[in-house]
Amino acid sequence: MAARAARAARARRDVYWFGDGVADGSKEDKELLGGKGANLAEMSRMGLPVPPGFTITTEVCTDFLAEKGVFSASVRKQVAAALVKVERSIGKKFADADDPLLVSVRSGARVSMPGMMDTVLNLGLNHKTVEGLAAKSGNRRFAWDAYRRFVQMYSDVVLGVGAVDGELHDPFTMALEALKNRVGVEEDTELSAADLERLVGEFKRIVFDRTGEPFPDDPQEQLWGAIEAVFRSWNNDRAIAYRQMEGISSSWGTAVSVVAMVYGNLGKTSGTGVAFTRDPATGEKRFYGEYLIDAQGEDVVAGIRTPLPIASLEKTLPKAWRELQRIQKLLEKHYRDMQDLEFTIQEGRLYMLQCRSGKRTGFAAVQIATDMVREKLITRDEALLRVDPEGLNQLLRPVFDPKELDVARAKGRLLTKGLNAGPGAATGRIVFSPEAAERRAAEHPEPVILARIETSPEDIKGMQASVGILTARGGMTSHAALVARQMGLVCVAGAGEIEIDYARRCMTAGGRVIEEGEWVSLDGNTGEVYQGLVNTQPSAVIEHLFAAETKPARKATKHAPATGIVKAFLTLMKWADEVRELGVRTNADQPDQCETAIAFGAEGIGLTRTEHMFFGDEKIEAVREMILAEDQEAREEALARILPLQREDFEGIFMEMGQRPVTIRTLDPPLHEFLPMEEEAQRELAKAMGVPFKRLHAKVEYLSELNPMLGHRGCRLGIAHPEITRCQVRALFEAACRVAKRTGRKPRPEVMIPLVGTVRELELQAMVVREEAAAVCKRLEIDIPYLLGTMIELPRACLVADKIAAVADFFSFGTNDLTQTTYGISRDDAGKFIPAYMENEIFDHDPFAQLDQVGVGRLMHIACHEGRQVKPDLKLGICGEHGGDPSSIDFCHRLGLEYVSCSPYRVPIARLAAAQAALRHGPKGGDVEDRRRSTATRGLRH
Ligand code: ADP
Ligand code: MG
Ligand code: MG
C-alpha cells in the first residue's frame, strides 16, 4: 500500500508547461493551476504570444504548507527540468553571466484575488548577470532599472522588508524618492543608469541593515526563495482577510507560475498595460484600458505614474495596437465573457501575460450579460447566472440631485474631477488613512470617505469601512478602482489635482484645504468631487420603475421608452421571471412601501407587522390607553378607538395590493415596547393621559421583562387578551369588505398568528379569527375568502408541524426568530461575539444574514415535510430577513417553498436569485435531505 502511494505521488504531475503554442494544462485546470496558470496555458494553446514558462500546482502549495515548508525531491526535479525547457525555448540560460534568462515568479489562486498575492519580476539578476543584461541589450539604464525593481520586490515579498511602525512608506520607496529629490527629477524614468546602480547598492544596504543577511546573489536560491514566498503568502494577513470577506476556502492554496521575462522598460517602443474588452464600469462595448511607455509590471496598477488611455496606443505603437485588437476580440469570443488583459510590449512586440474574466460593476454586469445574449455570444440562462444579484443594488442606489450639483458648482464647491472608477453617489466624512476609516466607522454612524494618494492591499479593511474611495493617483485599473468596483463602493480615482498630506491629515483641492472629518461628496458616475453634503435623488432605474409601473397615466406623456441600463435591467428581470419558480413577496407595513414593492415586482405581501401601524401619532395614544386599561371594559373602549385607525391602514394596503395576497400578522411585540422607559417621559405621558404617574410607572414595571424575546409576546398576547386579536381581525375584515365594495375586487388576506409553539395556541387564536371574520362578513354582507396560518419561529413548532398543519392553511418561516431560538442566540446581543465566532471559524457567515441551512434549515425541512404529509396543499413561505439573501433563497428553492418575502428594495435581487436557483437546481423541492447528508459527510462545519 505504502509503496503504491509513493509511486502514485511520484507519478503525480506537479509542474505544467506552457509556451511555443502548446501547454500541458488548459483553462479547465483552474483548481490545479490557479486562474492565471490555467489561462496562460489556454492562451498558449491558442497560439497567442505568451512568453514560455511553467506552473507549479496548488497541490504542491497545500503539501508545502502542511509539510511545514519542505519540497519533495520530485517537485525539485520537475522544476529543474521545466526551467531547462524555458532556457531552450528562449535561447538564454538562467544565471548566465553573458546573456541571462530572467523570470517572473507569479502567484495565482483559483479565483483572482486582486493584489493579495505578490509577484517578483526580473528574478535571476545579480552583480554579474546585470552586466550581461546591460551588454546584451546595449541599454545599461534598462538593466539597472530591472535590477533595482527586482531587489525592491524580492526584499518586500520574500525577505519581508517593509515599512515599520511609524513609517509611511517602505524604505525602498523612500530611498527612491530621496534619490529623485537629490537628482532633481520627477519621474523614475528620468533616473540614469548610474543613479540606479547607486540605488541598488543602497537597497542592498537597507536589506543588510534590516535583516542582518546579505541580499541573495545565487539565482537558484532566489528562485526557490520566491516560490516559497508565494506559497507562504497564501497565509498572509491580507490574503486571509480577503478570503474571509469573499468566503473563499483556505484549503485551496495558490499555484506559482514561473514565466520568462519580457521587458516593457526597454525604452520608448516598450511598455506595459492593462485592458478590458468592454468598459468595466458601464459595460459599454468598447475596448478599454490604460498603458505606460517604458514601464514594467505593476506600474500601471500601482498608480506610480498616471497611465495613458489605451486608444493612444494606435498612434504610438500601431503594430502592437493592431495585434492587441486582434487578440482582445479573439479572447472575448473564446471565453464568451468580458476579459481583463495584462500585456507587455517589448520593442514594439506584444506579449500577453494574463487574461481572466473581468471584474465589473453591477451596471456593467447587467449591460454586458444582456448585450451578449443579443450578440448571440451567450444564452439567456447564462446571462442570468452571470449577474451577481447583490450587484443590482448599484442600479437602485440614489444618484446626486442635478439641481444640488448646480448649486454646489455655483458656490465653488466643486473641488476637482478624477476618473469615474466606481459608480454611485457617496457623501461622507473624509479620512486619510484606512485605520482612521475603520475607527470612525466603528465609532460614528455617519458614512466615511477614504482618501489616499493611492491604495494598496493593506488598505482593504479601511476601504470596506468606507462608502467611497478617493485617490490622487492611479487609473481605472488601479488597485483602488478594482477593489472599489468589486466591493460596490463609489470610487473616484486619479484625481491628480488634489494633494494629500498624510502627516497633517488634510488635503488641498480646488484651492481649498479639507481637514479630516469634513463632509465631502463623490460622484462615481462623473468623477466629480464636491466639498460638503450633496443630496441625492433616485437612480434612472428607480425613476423609470416608478413612473412607468405605478403611474401608467404618466407613462405615455412624460416617459420615453427605457434605454441603456434601464432597458437592460428590465430585460434581465423579465428573463428572471420566466425562469424562476419561487414567488417573490415583500415585507411592508404601509401603502407607500407596497407601492415601491410592486414597482420592483413584488407579487404580494409576505409580512405586515401590524405593530408598526401602532406608532402613528394618534394611534400610540389609544394603544397606550389600551395597555393601561384596568379591566376588560376599559380595554375594549380603548380598542374601539384603535379600530378605525387600524382599519384605515388596512384599507390603504388592500387598495395598493389589489388582488395580490396580503399576509397580516397579529400583534407580536411585548406591550412594554409601547410605553416610555425613561421616568421623565413617563411623567409627561401620565400628565397627558390624565393618569397618576405612579400607576403608569407601576404598569411599566409590571410589564418589563428579564428576557422579552422569550416573554409575553406573540400569540401569548392574544391568548391573554383575545380582545386585542379580535379588534385587529375586525379592522382587517371591515377594511377588506370596504375595499371589495369600492373596487369590485376582493382583497386576499392571509391572517398569521406569531410565535406558535403548540397546536392549542393556534386553535385558540384561530377560533377568535374565524368567529370575528364570519361576524364581519355577515354584517357587511360580503364574503371575503382568506387563509389562516402561522409564523414558524420556534423549534418546537417545527417538531410538531404535523399537528399545527392540521389547523393552519399556511406556514411562514420567521427565520429571524427561528435562528435566535435554534441557536439560543439573541440577535441584538450577538454583535459582540459574532466577529470572534467568524474569526475562529465557528461561523463561516453571520447566521442572521445567511440562513444556517444545516441547523435552522433542517428544522425548516422537518416542518415542510411533516406539514405537507398532513396537508398536501399547505402553503409555505419565508418572511425573515433571509428571504432577501441569495444563498438563503437558493435553499428555499430546494426546500420547495411557495415564495420568499423580503424588503421592497431587495425584491429585484430576490427575483434574480430565485431564477438562478431554478437554473442551478432544476425544479423546486429537490431533495434537501440528501444534500444535507452529503454536506455532513464532506465534513463541513456545523
Ligand atoms: P497580479 O496577480 O498582481 O496581477 P501578476 O503575476 O499578473 O500579478 O504580475 C503583475 C504584472 O507583472 C503583470 O501584469 C505583468 O505586467 C508583469 N509581469 C509578470 N510576469 C511577467 C513577465 N514574465 N514578463 C514581463 N512582465 C511580467
Ligand atoms: Mg499585484
Ligand atoms: Mg496580473
Side-chain angles (χ1 to χ4, degrees), residues 659-704:
Q659 282 174 299
R660 299 176 184 88
V662 176
T663 307
I664 290 162
R665 178 179 71 183
T666 53
L667 195 62
D668 183 54
L671 295 178
H672 72 83
E673 285 191 10
F674 298 103
L675 296 175
M677 293 301 292
E678 316 271 299
E679 194 184 309
E680 193 61 20
Q682 287 173 11
R683 280 189 193 282
E684 265 171 42
L685 179 65
K687 213 161 106 199
M689 292 182 63
V691 296
F693 161 72
K694 273 217 171 113
R695 202 182 110 205
L696 193 138
H697 183 70
K699 191 78 186 183
V700 174
E701 292 280 284
Y702 169 77
L703 287 174
S704 81

Side-chain angles (χ1 to χ4, degrees), residues 649-837:
D649 290 330
F650 287 135
E651 275 186 55
I653 289 178
F654 288 139
M655 286 301 287
E656 283 296 336
M657 295 309 291
Q659 282 174 299
R660 299 176 184 88
V662 176
T663 307
I664 290 162
R665 178 179 71 183
T666 53
L667 195 62
D668 183 54
L671 295 178
H672 72 83
E673 285 191 10
F674 298 103
L675 296 175
M677 293 301 292
E678 316 271 299
E679 194 184 309
E680 193 61 20
Q682 287 173 11
R683 280 189 193 282
E684 265 171 42
L685 179 65
K687 213 161 106 199
M689 292 182 63
V691 296
F693 161 72
K694 273 217 171 113
R695 202 182 110 205
L696 193 138
H697 183 70
K699 191 78 186 183
V700 174
E701 292 280 284
Y702 169 77
L703 287 174
S704 81
E705 292 175 320
L706 286 180
N707 201 340
M709 183 187 102
L710 303 175
H712 196 182
R713 52 164 291 215
C715 67
R716 297 159 198 171
L717 286 172
I719 288 181
H721 308 294
E723 62 277 11
I724 298 181
T725 308
R726 194 177 293 281
C727 164
Q728 291 197 297
V729 173
R730 185 179 306 163
L732 190 166
F733 279 89
E734 286 181 3
C737 290
R738 287 175 176 217
V739 170
K741 279 198 180 137
R742 198 176 321 147
T743 64
R745 288 180 314 178
K746 286 182 186 175
R748 287 170 56 196
E750 301 182 348
V751 184
M752 178 157 77
I753 309 298
L755 214 71
V756 163
T758 74
V759 67
R760 182 74 185 141
E761 288 168 315
L762 183 60
E763 277 169 358
L764 287 170
Q765 287 290 287
M767 229 143 59
V768 176
V769 175
R770 297 224 158 91
E771 259 178 39
E772 195 57 42
V776 171
C777 291
K778 190 161 168 226
R779 178 156 45 83
L780 298 179
E781 296 178 328
I782 190 159
D783 181 40
I784 302 285
Y786 66 97
L787 299 182
L788 197 160
T790 175
M791 198 149 160
I792 302 283
E793 44 195 336
L794 294 174
R796 192 177 195 282
C798 298
L799 300 174
V800 300
D802 55 341
K803 306 267 186 329
I804 295 176
V807 183
D809 300 322
F810 69 88
F811 288 171
S812 175
F813 290 98
T815 46
N816 298 348
D817 274 340
L818 188 59
T819 301
Q820 298 201 86
T821 53
T822 299
Y823 270 113
I825 287 177
S826 143
R827 180 172 64 163
D828 300 328
D829 300 309
K832 285 188 202 133
F833 58 84
I834 283 201
Y837 266 47

Side-chain angles (χ1 to χ4, degrees), residues 211-260:
T211 66
E213 310 254 354
F215 186 86
D217 253 356
D218 173 11
Q220 283 293 337
E221 186 189 339
Q222 294 171 354
L223 177 64
W224 286 100
I227 294 172
E228 280 192 18
V230 170
F231 283 156
R232 288 223 166 86
S233 76
W234 178 252
N235 282 336
N236 74 24
D237 293 347
R238 270 148 45 184
I240 290 171
Y242 185 84
R243 281 204 292 277
Q244 271 174 0
M245 201 167 84
E246 296 289 307
I248 294 170
S249 165
S250 62
S251 68
W252 290 357
T254 178
V256 174
S257 292
V258 176
V259 187

Side-chain angles (χ1 to χ4, degrees), residues 114-119 298:
M116 287 299 115
M117 300 284 168
D118 298 294
T119 290
E298 302 275 72

Side-chain angles (χ1 to χ4, degrees), residues 66-67 77 101 128 185 221 370 373 393 583 716 742 893:
E67 303 286 326
K77 232 165 74 193
L101 164 71
K128 284 198 203 114
V185 298
E221 186 189 339
T370 51
V373 173
N393 265 329
R716 297 159 198 171
R742 198 176 321 147
H893 173 91

Side-chain angles (χ1 to χ4, degrees), residues 487-626:
M487 298 208 270
L489 300 176
V490 173
C491 177
V492 173
E497 290 165 8
I498 62 173
E499 260 174 48
I500 300 181
D501 186 336
Y502 287 147
R504 289 185 36 233
R505 291 190 290 173
C506 67
M507 75 177 184
T508 323
R512 296 174 181 224
V513 178
I514 311 284
E515 308 275 350
E516 181 165 301
E518 275 190 52
W519 285 97
V520 167
S521 299
L522 303 184
D523 190 335
N525 298 327
T526 61
E528 289 172 338
V529 182
Y530 294 87
Q531 184 179 24
L533 268 159
V534 179
N535 285 323
T536 54
Q537 68 167 38
S539 72
V541 169
I542 298 281
E543 286 272 2
H544 181 89
L545 289 179
F546 285 79
E549 291 194 20
T550 64
K551 301 194 178 59
R554 272 172 53 186
K555 187 176 175 182
T557 52
K558 274 206 170 171
H559 257 261
T563 54
I565 188 67
V566 177
K567 192 169 168 198
F569 171 82
L570 296 176
T571 306
L572 193 78
M573 285 293 113
K574 185 177 91 105
W575 291 340
D577 292 346
E578 286 165 12
V579 167
R580 71 185 161 93
E581 295 180 21
L582 276 171
V584 177
R585 296 193 188 182
T586 192
N587 297 350
D589 312 327
Q590 281 152 12
D592 62 324
Q593 293 170 358
C594 299
E595 189 185 336
T596 308
I598 290 172
F600 284 139
E603 297 158 312
I605 291 184
L607 174 61
T608 295
R609 298 175 167 95
T610 45
E611 61 272 16
H612 286 186
M613 302 174 176
F614 281 10
F615 282 99
D617 283 343
E618 285 173 84
K619 276 169 263 185
I620 188 74
E621 256 174 54
V623 172
R624 284 169 172 166
E625 264 173 38
M626 185 263 294

